[in-house]
Amino acid sequence: MTLFKQLILFTLMLFLILFTGTLLLSFNNTRSFLLNQLESHAQDTATSLGLAISQRAVEEDRASLESMINAVFDRGYYQTIRYVNVEGKVVVERQLAVTFEDVPSWFIALAPLDPPEASANVMAGWRQGGKIYVRSHPGFAYSALWKDSARMTLWFLSCAVFVFLVGGLGLRLLLRPLALVQRQADAICRKEYESQEPLPRTRELRQVVIAMNRMTFKVKEMFEEQAAFAEGFREHAYFDSLTGLGNRRYFEMQMRSRQEEREGAGGGLLLLVQIRDLQRLNRQRGLQAGDELLKAAAFILRDLAQSCSNPVLARLTGGDFAAFLPDSLSWEAPKIAEKTANALSRLAERKLSATENVANIGAVTYDTPTALGSLLSEADLALRTAQQKGPNAWHIRGITEETEKLPAGEQQWRRTLEDVLQARRIRFDAQAVVRTAVRNDCMHLEVFSRIVRGEDGVEFRAELFLPFAERLGLVSLLDRIVLEEAMRLDRQKLGVDAVAVNISPASLHDDDFRSWLHSALRDLPPSAPRLVFEFAESAAIRSLDSVRQFREHIRQWGHAVALDHYGQSLSRLGYLQLLRPDYVKVDRAYTEALKDSAGDSRFYIGSLCSVAHSIDVLVIAEGVETEEQIDMLKTLNIDGLQGYAIDRPKPMAGNSAGS
């Protein structure tokens, strides 16, 4: 029970006690007064009547006695008038039945009035003629007592209602600071930090609010320090402080992770960009001029990667940059390289470079898993060739094995995807995610999809077709098909309560998709599993408001939102507090970099766990492939594990590609 209700009840109880005591005291006083009045009334009547009938009593004139007694009895309000002669014989007696019309019977039983009988001697001189007895009728007394009690009760009830309404309003105003303190405490539990202003005037409440504000500030300061430490460590280990891009360590870690993935990275485009005559610029204009040129080049590379998902951008050393674009295929490479070279060459017009020859670009395309060393070697050869071509030149080399299997251009991709989606030729696999502490406790299953081309049955993984599905506006239809399959699953047969599905933030901007999804979630049968919508971190950051609103909407039906490949985008940790995903999956690059207890990756994962746990966000490691990694992750307080060391993706029962 709330303090407000307790205070109201306590006030009403005190009021009830006061009312009961006052009512009883007033009731008894009134009752005693009325009994005295009845007794006095009866005695006065007996005395006056005894004097009036004395002569008739001595003469034993019965008719006159009756007339005189009847006159008094009819004129007054008496219960009994009785005249008894000296022998004790009743000569005349009048009685009136005791009935009450306007007084409840329960009140009469509760407050009995037994008026005393008064008497007087009938004397004629020294001679006694008899005795007169009079008892007043209690009807008027009962009526007066009932009306007085009813008026007092009505008055107290009116006062009680007034006290309840006005006092309740006053208590709410007085206790409002406590309600705000409760809201502050709830906000802290949600890892939100609110201060209460203005301070209440009541001294005790003011001190409580001041203490609460101080605690809120301290907790917020602790979280910010914790997040700043984790971010600072990651920046030191993986960031280039000048350009804000990743450093060489970050680049190699990300590339090895993608290249060493068991199923392979599929393909992509790697560019090496070399800024020319940087040392000459530093000598002529100073280090600040060189720094401005490097920052401008980094800005161009960021702009280049805007349309790509999960790019890897890094400054390797000095004026050397690397850009890995996993979504790009060989036929797109010349356009990308030329656009980048033209943008860099325009830096000379802004007088940022020492010469017109700003940069050369070497690029390598590949469509089959290739070792990082080979990629860098081919890209370096392409860069040397570009340098020989002349100022601001670019050159592309290709590594291919089965290029002919992939659609050759955007229109071929459109026809392939539309055919696949219409025929629903999609294959679904599932992989378990388990709790670190108990490896046989499955947290959820993650669903992976492949499309199957109709004419030859060739399968394409999501890494290959998703960029084109987004670019061609087909990704929402693809996400809908995947979600429809997930919604048909039975949690009893799966053996888990939750299924994770990767969807694109671009689908959230499709009105038809949102309308369908909200209706489908509302009508989801009880047997269906709880859905976890996973978004790639880099894509989620670009659509942060849409993802946050989506999370708030689906949580009313018990579903969840999570971030995949966390740490890949080198973003700040602050947005976690705004988005509040149910969990984040640490990018496999950090998992694979776990080498020893003093490694940077270990410290980063440990710091991330500390920050995420402080705002009730779980942390899951993906790409776990060895027992050594599992042992080290256990020491970092990580919540879940996913990878080949735990479970391999398996075809989902009852879900296969359409024919």
Side-chain angles (χ1 to χ4, degrees):
M1 184 181 295
T2 63
L3 178 61
F4 172 76
K5 291 182 179 179
Q6 292 182 30
L7 289 174
I8 287 292
L9 287 178
F10 181 71
T11 302
L12 291 178
M13 287 178 61
L14 290 178
F15 194 83
L16 180 61
I17 294 172
L18 176 64
F19 162 70
T20 303
T22 304
L23 180 63
L24 289 177
L25 181 62
S26 175
F27 180 85
N28 288 329
N29 290 338
T30 303
R31 183 170 175 272
S32 299
F33 172 78
L34 289 173
L35 285 175
N36 292 333
Q37 287 292 97
L38 289 174
E39 182 181 8
S40 175
H41 176 256
Q43 188 62 57
D44 291 345
T45 301
T47 302
S48 60
L49 188 57
L51 291 174
I53 66 172
S54 59
Q55 187 61 38
R56 303 295 185 272
V58 172
E59 296 174 355
E60 296 182 358
D61 185 353
R62 182 182 176 87
S64 297
L65 288 173
E66 287 184 357
S67 297
M68 296 178 71
I69 290 175
N70 287 341
V72 173
F73 186 84
D74 293 337
R75 189 172 62 248
Y77 195 56
Y78 303 97
Q79 183 178 347
T80 304
I81 297 180
R82 184 174 67 255
Y83 170 65
V84 181
N85 60 20
V86 292
E87 286 88 10
K89 181 180 178 180
V90 177
V91 177
V92 179
E93 183 177 20
R94 291 297 305 275
Q95 289 186 346
L96 178 64
V98 180
T99 58
F100 311 97
E101 295 181 357
D102 56 349
V103 181
S105 58
W106 61 265
F107 184 76
I108 296 172
L110 183 66
L113 291 176
D114 187 16
E117 190 177 60
S119 62
N121 293 325
V122 180
M123 304 291 292
W126 297 102
R127 183 179 175 185
Q128 183 175 355
K131 202 166 188 177
I132 189 77
Y133 296 91
V134 178
R135 185 189 298 271
S136 295
H137 197 288
F140 284 131
Y142 271 118
S143 179
L145 186 61
W146 164 250
K147 290 178 180 178
D148 183 70
S149 299
R151 282 194 297 268
M152 180 168 289
T153 302
L154 182 61
W155 166 251
F156 271 96
L157 286 177
S158 301
C159 291
V161 171
F162 178 80
V163 168
F164 180 78
L165 296 178
V166 178
L169 179 61
L171 281 177
R172 283 194 180 278
L173 293 176
L174 289 175
L175 296 179
R176 187 171 180 271
L178 289 183
L180 295 177
V181 166
Q182 178 188 358
R183 192 177 75 177
Q184 276 184 286
D186 292 337
I188 290 175
C189 293
R190 299 190 306 269
K191 304 305 180 291
E192 299 172 358
Y193 309 103
E194 301 177 356
S195 293
Q196 189 177 154
E197 296 292 344
L199 298 175
R201 296 180 180 179
T202 306
R203 185 176 61 182
E204 292 80 4
L205 292 177
R206 186 184 185 90
Q207 295 303 317
V208 171
V209 170
I210 290 174
M212 195 68 186
N213 285 347
R214 188 162 53 245
M215 185 184 72
T216 300
F217 175 77
K218 288 295 183 183
V219 173
K220 180 181 180 182
E221 193 177 55
M222 289 170 58
F223 172 80
E224 291 177 346
E225 287 178 356
Q226 195 176 40
F229 173 78
E231 289 177 355
F233 175 80
R234 186 172 64 165
E235 289 180 3
H236 176 74
Y238 301 113
F239 270 70
D240 175 61
S241 58
L242 176 63
T243 62
L245 303 181
N247 58 20
R248 189 180 193 93
R249 178 184 296 178
Y250 168 78
F251 173 76
E252 292 178 351
M253 182 181 68
Q254 287 290 330
M255 293 300 296
R256 285 199 178 94
S257 167
R258 296 167 192 244
Q259 297 300 321
E260 294 173 7
E261 188 175 358
R262 293 294 179 93
E263 294 192 6
L269 170 65
L270 174 63
L271 289 86
L272 289 183
V273 179
Q274 187 176 73
I275 304 299
R276 304 302 304 271
D277 298 319
L278 182 61
Q279 292 183 354
R280 177 182 171 186
L281 179 65
N282 289 333
R283 289 195 302 270
Q284 290 179 351
R285 305 183 191 175
L287 294 177
Q288 185 175 357
D291 291 346
E292 291 299 321
L293 176 60
L294 293 176
K295 290 177 183 179
F299 180 82
I300 291 173
L301 292 180
R302 283 199 197 91
D303 185 63
L304 166 70
Q306 282 293 324
S307 60
C308 302
S309 60
N310 302 323
V312 179
L313 303 177
R315 178 190 174 200
L316 302 181
T317 182
D320 293 340
F321 294 85
F324 173 63
L325 309 178
D327 297 347
S328 302
L329 297 180
S330 57
W331 50 269
E332 296 180 305
K335 179 180 178 181
I336 293 174
E338 183 178 12
K339 178 181 178 181
T340 306
N342 290 339
L344 289 169
S345 67
R346 284 193 290 271
L347 296 179
E349 300 173 4
R350 297 163 53 187
K351 307 300 182 181
L352 293 179
S353 63
T355 65
E356 295 293 326
N357 184 15
V358 179
N360 290 116
I361 299 175
V364 58
T365 64
Y366 67 102
D367 55 27
T368 183
T370 307
L372 175 61
S374 298
L375 285 177
L376 291 175
S377 177
E378 290 292 326
D380 187 65
L381 287 174
L383 179 61
R384 303 306 167 208
T385 303
Q387 291 171 349
Q388 294 175 1
K389 286 183 177 181
N392 301 313
W394 52 270
H395 184 74
I396 299 175
R397 296 176 63 87
I399 301 174
T400 181
E401 182 177 300
E402 295 178 327
T403 305
E404 67 277 2
K405 290 184 179 181
L406 296 174
E410 191 169 284
Q411 293 305 314
Q412 287 192 21
W413 269 110
R414 180 185 293 277
R415 287 193 295 271
T416 299
L417 288 172
E418 289 177 345
D419 176 66
V420 165
L421 295 176
Q422 182 177 3
R424 299 176 74 95
R425 284 193 297 271
I426 303 177
R427 173 187 147 191
F428 299 99
D429 296 335
Q431 186 180 31
V433 177
V434 303
R435 297 192 184 279
T436 306
V438 185
R439 288 171 61 175
N440 59 357
D441 183 5
C442 184
M443 299 174 67
H444 63 263
L445 294 176
E446 181 174 1
V447 176
F448 303 99
S449 60
R450 297 169 180 259
I451 63 172
V452 183
R453 190 160 56 186
E455 60 265 24
D456 52 12
V458 173
E459 296 183 358
F460 299 113
R461 296 185 308 278
E463 301 89 38
L464 293 176
F465 65 80
L466 270 180
F468 293 97
E470 290 186 357
R471 191 178 309 173
L472 297 171
L474 299 173
V475 70
S476 59
L477 179 57
L478 175 65
D479 286 342
R480 176 169 177 171
I481 293 174
V482 175
L483 287 170
E484 285 175 344
E485 294 298 327
M487 292 176 183
R488 292 192 186 104
L489 298 173
D490 188 323
R491 68 172 71 192
Q492 296 295 331
K493 295 179 181 179
L494 287 176
V496 294
D497 291 331
V499 170
V501 180
N502 284 271
I503 69 171
S504 170
S507 297
L508 303 183
H509 302 289
D510 186 328
D511 293 338
D512 293 336
F513 175 83
R514 289 202 312 271
S515 178
W516 165 81
L517 181 58
H518 294 165
S519 298
L521 292 177
R522 184 180 61 247
D523 301 332
L524 203 62
S527 60
R530 186 173 71 99
L531 297 177
V532 183
F533 297 86
E534 289 191 1
F535 296 92
E537 181 203 23
S538 57
I541 292 174
R542 292 197 295 268
S543 303
L544 192 59
D545 290 337
S546 298
V547 175
R548 182 173 57 85
Q549 293 173 6
F550 176 73
R551 181 211 62 179
E552 295 297 331
H553 194 82
I554 65 168
R555 279 190 173 176
Q556 64 182 306
W557 292 302
H559 304 292
V561 163
L563 294 180
D564 201 7
H565 305 308
Y566 187 82
Q568 198 175 79
S569 67
L570 291 177
S571 300
R572 296 280 180 177
L573 293 173
Y575 77 89
L576 275 185
Q577 188 175 357
L578 176 64
L579 183 57
R580 295 292 179 86
D582 287 74
Y583 62 81
V584 296
K585 282 186 178 177
V586 181
D587 186 62
R588 61 181 297 117
Y590 296 96
T591 307
E592 291 182 354
L594 287 174
K595 302 297 183 183
D596 53 60
S597 59
D600 292 332
S601 181
R602 181 182 184 278
F603 285 115
Y604 171 68
I605 295 176
S607 300
L608 171 61
C609 288
S610 179
V611 172
H613 290 166
S614 71
I615 53 175
D616 299 326
V617 175
L618 300 180
V619 181
I620 296 173
E622 62 181 13
V624 181
E625 299 186 353
T626 66
E627 290 296 328
E628 290 76 12
Q629 289 174 335
I630 294 175
D631 293 338
M632 194 167 293
L633 288 168
K634 285 181 178 179
T635 66
L636 299 178
N637 198 26
I638 207 156
D639 302 287
L641 305 171
Q642 181 181 12
Y644 281 20
I646 306 300
D647 181 44
R648 289 175 176 270
K650 301 181 182 65
M652 296 180 61
N655 290 276
S656 59
S659 58

